[in-house]
Amino acid sequence: RTEEIQPSTFHWHSSAVLSLEWGALDETGLAPDVHHLYSGGSECTLLIWELPEGKRSYLPRFPAPLLSLKGCHSQREEIGMESFLAVGCADNSIVVVNVATKSKVCTVAGLQVPYDRVVSLGVNKQGRAEVSLLMSSRGALQRYDLDQDCQVSKLSVSYNQDHAPYARSTGKRGPTKPKLGGASTTMVSYCCDEKHLCTLEQNADGLGAWLKFWRFNPSTQRYEVERTVLNPHEGKVVCLLGHGTRALAATTSTDGKFKLWARVDGDWVCSCQARSPSSYLKACTFSGSGDVLAASFGDSLGFWDTGSLDLMAVLRCPPSLSATSFTEVCLVSKDKPAFACGVWASAGKGNC
């Protein structure tokens, strides 16, 4: 069925919303019915929204615009249950925020290689906080120990410009500048409690795409490639998403198709595929159980059963919002979704 969204619009940002993340539902605390949503932009201020009322609080004075947000809800014996948020800033720094106390825990600045976004934030077996950063221009995934302030590991996930071969051509004026090959787009997503990693590298035109599934080897403490799929779609891949606790992943493409990938008997296979009702799926997210895939196409949000990829419902933005496409989608909270939140591109208004 198709329903028109009657959304609640919460406004504060004076320019485009650059980052969005959902918060943990405090089911046993003082506010069991309050859902939290975090947003950031060029104002260098983190906004903490309380849904459904729309109340907001602020954490200002970040060193640069907020480009990416990634939450972590983990147990530490010495400080109890708290929610942490890793904030990726435009000056190549990371700020870790305790959203329960609305305080900044630590700041990491001066990383050697500029990163594009924060991929994950978690606690390792030693109880120390670790953050994963994607550097798509170098095709590298870096893990950084926030407590020890040092790099833990760096994994080359794509055949990038630093390693790709090149060909020299000789003209009338002598040798020309080498033309570098390699992938211009790199996507990564963890799944199954970071026991598995999904990566995709492709050229700007979407040709020569390589979808790789990695498995973490406890004995070597490294990720190893389990399966490689050449050109998983006929068009350019626009989204790669892994489920947090299950060996399940999704890919979407400009060819209008989207596919689910599952690990069956030790091998990754395409479990099912379907076609978008219109255009193609641009942004997607799983529910906490992985039974539902929520994804955007045009000015609408669709909800699919991941077992059969049957389309269960479609929510459409009212024409008055002038929404052209969603750039981010999230479910709040993931375990028991009560809200579908998104950042959409509006004609002449940027991201809203």
Side-chain angles (χ1 to χ4, degrees):
R1 66 184 191 275
T2 301
E3 299 179 0
E4 186 173 277
I5 303 174
Q6 296 300 329
S8 298
T9 302
F10 305 115
H11 177 70
W12 181 86
H13 293 280
S14 60
S15 58
V17 178
L18 302 178
S19 52
L20 190 71
E21 175 68 320
W22 61 274
L25 179 62
D26 186 11
E27 296 180 337
T28 59
L30 300 176
D33 298 324
V34 174
H35 302 259
H36 290 94
L37 185 70
Y38 312 114
S39 64
S42 59
E43 302 87 358
C44 303
T45 298
L46 175 68
L47 259 71
I48 304 173
W49 302 87
E50 294 183 9
L51 305 179
E53 291 82 2
K55 295 180 180 178
R56 60 178 181 259
S57 55
Y58 313 89
L59 190 57
R61 292 186 289 276
F62 280 79
L66 282 57
L67 300 183
S68 61
L69 304 172
K70 183 59 65 173
C72 170
H73 319 295
S74 58
Q75 178 73 37
R76 282 194 176 188
E77 296 181 357
E78 68 272 18
I79 56 179
M81 185 62 139
E82 292 182 329
S83 295
F84 293 90
L85 190 70
V87 180
C89 299
D91 66 344
N92 203 40
S93 66
I94 308 167
V95 180
V96 178
V97 174
N98 184 332
V99 294
T101 61
K102 295 182 177 62
S103 61
K104 298 175 183 178
V105 178
C106 67
T107 300
V108 178
L111 295 172
Q112 291 183 353
V113 180
Y115 65 89
D116 297 279
R117 67 183 180 92
V118 179
V119 178
S120 70
L121 174 66
V123 178
N124 60 22
K125 295 181 179 181
Q126 291 73 36
R128 296 197 299 268
E130 284 188 3
V131 63
S132 295
L133 309 170
L134 172 65
M135 296 161 279
S136 63
S137 62
R138 299 280 294 273
L141 184 66
Q142 180 186 28
R143 294 183 70 91
Y144 198 90
D145 189 320
L146 296 173
D147 292 332
Q148 299 293 323
D149 193 17
C150 64
Q151 176 179 291
V152 177
S153 64
K154 188 166 68 173
L155 175 68
S156 295
V157 297
S158 70
Y159 196 58
N160 56 76
Q161 292 188 355
D162 288 343
H163 304 94
Y166 60 86
R168 289 183 178 271
S169 60
T170 303
K172 295 181 179 180
R173 299 181 180 179
T176 60
K177 185 178 180 180
K179 296 182 179 181
L180 296 177
S184 61
T185 302
T186 304
M187 304 178 189
V188 301
S189 184
Y190 286 109
C191 62
C192 198
D193 297 317
E194 299 191 8
K195 296 177 183 177
H196 296 275
L197 175 68
C198 311
T199 67
L200 184 129
E201 54 187 288
Q202 63 184 343
N203 297 323
D205 55 7
L207 300 177
W210 294 82
L211 175 63
K212 298 178 183 178
F213 298 97
W214 308 65
R215 181 182 64 87
F216 184 75
N217 188 333
S219 59
T220 61
Q221 293 294 299
R222 292 182 176 276
Y223 284 95
E224 301 172 352
V225 177
E226 274 192 316
R227 174 84 188 278
T228 300
V229 180
L230 176 62
N231 294 327
H233 288 269
E234 296 177 1
K236 184 177 181 179
V237 178
V238 295
C239 183
L240 170 66
L241 175 70
H243 188 270
T245 58
R246 292 175 55 182
L248 178 68
T251 56
T252 71
S253 170
T254 56
D255 61 10
K257 295 180 181 179
F258 60 100
K259 299 181 179 182
L260 292 184
W261 305 81
R263 193 169 186 263
V264 181
D265 297 330
D267 189 22
W268 284 89
V269 296
C270 177
S271 58
C272 52
Q273 60 179 303
R275 182 172 291 275
S276 172
S278 65
S279 183
Y280 60 90
L281 303 190
K282 190 170 185 179
C284 58
T285 185
F286 285 114
S287 64
S289 62
D291 296 332
V292 176
L293 175 70
S296 67
F297 53 94
D299 62 351
S300 302
L301 293 177
F303 299 85
W304 284 266
D305 183 331
T306 57
S308 60
L309 282 189
D310 291 335
L311 181 60
M312 299 183 294
V314 176
L315 301 178
R316 184 182 180 188
C317 279
S320 59
L321 294 178
S322 302
T324 56
S325 64
F326 283 83
T327 57
E328 289 191 58
V329 175
C330 69
L331 299 176
V332 185
S333 70
K334 275 187 172 292
D335 295 333
K336 299 177 181 179
F339 303 94
C341 301
V343 177
W344 65 82
S346 181
K349 299 180 181 179
N351 290 351
C352 300

